[in-house]
Amino acid sequence: MKIAFFLQGKSSTDHTVHVSAVTDEIIGRLNSKGAHVDIMVPEEKALNVNEIRLQYDLYILKSKTPLTLSLAGALSASGASMLNTWKATLLNRNKVISTALLAASSLPVPPSWATGQPLQFLPLLKEGPLWIKPVNGSRGKGVCRITNDAEVTNQKSPADPYGLPLPLFAQKEAPSEGRDLKVYVVGDKTWAITRPWPARSMEDKLGQPAVISQEVRLTALACGKALGLTIYGVDFLISGDQFYVVDINAFPGFKGASGAPFYIADYIYRAACYSSSKNQIGGVRHEQFK
């Protein structure tokens, strides 16, 4: 049984793979079960696009770089099995799409807007501060809090290399008790931690274990169902009995989630077994991908 882990390099210039302690434990557990696991960083070499073929029983989309998602799209179109699926990962990468899908499922997301012109946010400030977020952002990069007209007018209209406008995404500030609640999900298994935002130290990132209500747990599971994710994290803001979903992360780092590597490895192994048996029955040919 062969499993490929798509991982991200350290930076845009250094594509040396960085394997976290959690991922390293997951891979170690998979190897101990008899699986053959390869780590793949697409950016570290020139891929022959003409020769992309299925080689593995299961592909794990831990990285979400543009090249990884492009490669995953080609493999998915050829029938590859993935966790999370390429479509779900792609949908989750876009905050306009993912927020719309969550809202359509009646899940508690803050009032949210998208535009191509920052000045369109000015009237919205009358109802309170806004959080501006990159549409395809992650790890809190590029997120800023807007409280007055001057901060809005200082926002630049983003554009792609051809000068076409890129969307700006904003959410009304949700009430909060000052810490993020992160709920990690693998299938129907959940863990929860609270931690400060932004998390500046490893201690911050590990957070503190938290007990969550059944309503919050069911909301986290419903988020995965709405977006098609099976391994993911949901960020909540809590204030008394109120809570809001403010971010979804496909296959996050699971920092602070005690015992998570065991459950993740078991979930991946069972998915790979199912995919392998399906391929054998269907006679799918696994060919070398170069």
Side-chain angles (χ1 to χ4, degrees):
M1 181 191 307
K2 300 178 69 177
I3 301 171
F5 257 80
F6 283 114
L7 298 182
Q8 188 171 338
K10 292 181 179 178
S11 68
S12 59
T13 55
D14 181 2
H15 299 304
T16 304
V17 66
H18 170 69
V19 182
S20 70
V22 171
T23 300
D24 189 55
E25 184 176 347
I26 292 168
I27 292 174
R29 289 183 177 278
L30 287 169
N31 286 330
S32 70
K33 290 174 177 286
H36 174 87
V37 181
D38 284 336
I39 291 174
M40 302 177 70
V41 182
E43 291 82 2
E44 71 179 1
K45 60 182 179 182
L47 301 174
N48 188 333
V49 177
N50 293 7
E51 296 183 4
I52 294 175
R53 300 291 187 274
L54 297 184
Q55 182 188 2
Y56 296 87
D57 296 297
L58 187 67
Y59 295 83
I60 309 300
L61 287 183
K62 189 77 174 66
S63 169
K64 298 98 179 175
T65 64
L67 182 54
T68 295
L69 291 176
S70 297
L71 177 57
L75 291 167
S76 181
S78 298
S81 296
M82 295 187 182
L83 290 177
N84 293 290
T85 67
W86 169 72
K87 179 181 178 181
T89 303
L90 201 61
L91 290 177
N92 183 72
R93 285 286 294 167
N94 187 300
K95 285 183 172 57
V96 175
I97 299 173
S98 59
T99 303
L101 291 174
L102 294 175
S105 296
S106 300
L107 294 166
V109 292
S112 307
W113 298 270
T115 183
Q117 299 293 332
L119 295 180
Q120 298 301 318
F121 291 142
L122 284 173
L124 304 176
L125 279 176
K126 296 176 181 178
E127 298 183 9
L130 297 174
W131 286 87
I132 309 296
K133 303 178 180 181
V135 169
N136 294 314
S138 64
R139 302 178 183 177
K141 293 182 178 179
V143 175
C144 63
R145 184 174 185 261
I146 299 296
T147 61
N148 58 62
D149 291 0
E151 290 173 332
V152 171
T153 55
N154 287 334
Q155 289 284 316
K156 295 181 179 180
S157 298
D160 69 11
Y162 300 97
L164 298 175
L166 293 173
L168 281 163
F169 179 79
Q171 288 186 318
K172 183 178 178 180
E173 184 169 75
S176 167
E177 295 172 354
R179 292 175 69 89
D180 283 359
L181 173 68
K182 300 185 75 70
V183 179
Y184 298 114
V185 183
V186 179
D188 59 2
K189 172 71 175 176
T190 59
W191 299 260
I193 63 169
T194 61
R195 72 182 199 182
W197 192 92
R200 293 187 171 89
S201 66
M202 181 53 68
E203 183 180 3
D204 286 347
K205 292 177 181 179
L206 291 174
Q208 297 293 326
V211 177
I212 57 174
S213 67
Q214 180 70 351
E215 190 176 6
V216 168
R217 179 179 182 275
L218 292 176
T219 298
L221 295 176
C223 287
K225 184 177 181 180
L227 298 178
L229 298 169
T230 56
I231 302 179
Y232 60 99
V234 185
D235 290 358
F236 289 89
L237 290 180
I238 308 285
S239 179
D241 294 332
Q242 285 186 305
F243 59 87
Y244 292 89
V245 174
V246 293
D247 202 10
I248 310 281
N249 300 291
F251 212 134
F254 284 87
K255 292 181 177 66
S258 178
F262 170 83
Y263 286 94
I264 296 171
D266 184 64
Y267 191 87
I268 290 173
Y269 184 78
R270 286 187 286 114
C273 286
Y274 175 77
S275 177
S276 178
S277 63
K278 184 175 65 175
N279 290 339
Q280 290 174 9
I281 293 170
V284 176
R285 180 184 175 190
H286 286 233
E287 298 180 283
Q288 183 73 22
F289 134 76
K290 301 177 181 179

